[in-house]
């Protein structure tokens, strides 16, 4: 059976070091992605994230960090499935970084197709929110998913 893997990317008008720290540091992530975290992303460390629209905590196992270049972690990206996420930072210029994200893979069955749609949307939202935060100081996520709570 074919496997599905998410691949998405977005250019951000900030240097790689600033983008990297905004993904790794929970105090910065709170401005565009999560509500709380049990700690900083560090290689080999297990942490948990809480999203503003959900009550549960999501366990995250940080596998590898290459400063300003690469972050990989595993999480339950689909019900009962531990998935690998890789984030690569590619310098376009001194002040522009391409952020490339992959997640997966899951069988291309009905469940996998639903996962692919949801999580592709989620990673595109992550990138848009990261860009808005870093380039303009705007938290796009704030209030965006309040409808889920109702």
């Amino acid at each position: 059976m074919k496997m599905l893997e998410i691949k998405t990317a977005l250019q951000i008008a900030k240097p790689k070091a600033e983008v990297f720290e905004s993904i790794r540091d929970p105090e910065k992530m709170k401005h565009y992605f999560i509500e709380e975290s049990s700690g900083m992303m560090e290689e080999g460390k297990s942490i948990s994230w809480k999203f503003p629209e959900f009550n549960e905590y999501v366990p995250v196992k940080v596998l590898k960090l290459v400063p300003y270049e690469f972050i990989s972690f595993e999480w339950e990206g689909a019900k009962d499935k531990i998935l690998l996420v890789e984030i690569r930072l590619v310098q376009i210029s001194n002040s522009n970084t391409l952020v490339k994200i992959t997640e997966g893979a899951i069988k291309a069955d009905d469940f996998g197709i639903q996962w692919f749609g949801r999580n592709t949307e989620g990673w595109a939202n992550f990138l848009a929110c990261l860009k808005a935060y870093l380039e303009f100081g705007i938290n796009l996520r704030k209030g965006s998913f309040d409808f889920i709570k109702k």
Side-chain angles (χ1 to χ4, degrees):
M1 178 172 273
K2 271 187 119 172
M3 301 296 283
L4 298 170
E5 181 178 63
I6 293 168
K7 293 181 184 226
T8 188
L10 190 69
Q11 184 171 318
I12 297 176
K14 291 292 176 180
K16 282 193 329 180
E18 189 173 344
V19 175
F20 180 84
E21 289 303 326
S22 294
I23 296 170
R24 186 175 96 88
D25 183 344
E27 291 306 312
K28 293 178 180 171
M29 288 179 79
K30 288 177 185 179
H31 295 282
Y32 70 92
F33 188 52
I34 60 172
E35 183 174 54
E36 41 182 282
S37 174
S38 63
M40 179 87 72
M41 292 183 86
E42 296 173 350
E43 192 167 308
K45 186 175 180 181
S46 291
I47 58 174
S48 62
W49 289 336
K50 183 182 180 304
F51 294 90
E53 59 275 12
F54 305 111
N55 289 325
E56 60 272 351
Y57 288 79
V58 177
V60 174
K61 182 178 180 185
V62 182
L63 302 175
K64 187 166 182 75
L65 286 175
V66 178
Y68 319 127
E69 302 284 334
F70 181 76
I71 297 170
S72 70
F73 62 88
E74 290 178 329
W75 71 342
E76 191 176 318
K79 186 177 180 179
D80 300 325
K81 297 193 186 311
I82 302 301
L83 297 173
L84 175 66
V85 175
E86 295 181 329
I87 302 172
R88 286 180 169 63
L89 305 178
V90 179
Q91 185 170 326
I92 303 296
S93 69
N94 288 339
S95 59
N96 284 282
T97 303
L98 179 62
V99 182
K100 300 167 88 175
I101 299 175
T102 60
E103 181 184 26
I106 289 185
K107 290 180 184 177
D109 56 15
D110 287 343
F111 177 83
I113 291 168
Q114 289 175 12
W115 162 82
F116 187 80
R118 276 191 315 270
N119 283 33
T120 298
E121 179 183 331
W123 286 117
N125 182 270
F126 169 89
L127 289 170
C129 290
L130 175 62
K131 182 177 182 71
Y133 166 64
L134 287 176
E135 292 183 14
F136 305 103
I138 298 168
N139 184 342
L140 287 180
R141 193 173 181 104
K142 187 175 184 177
S144 295
F145 298 102
D146 287 351
F147 68 95
I148 292 174
K149 296 179 185 178
K150 297 177 181 181

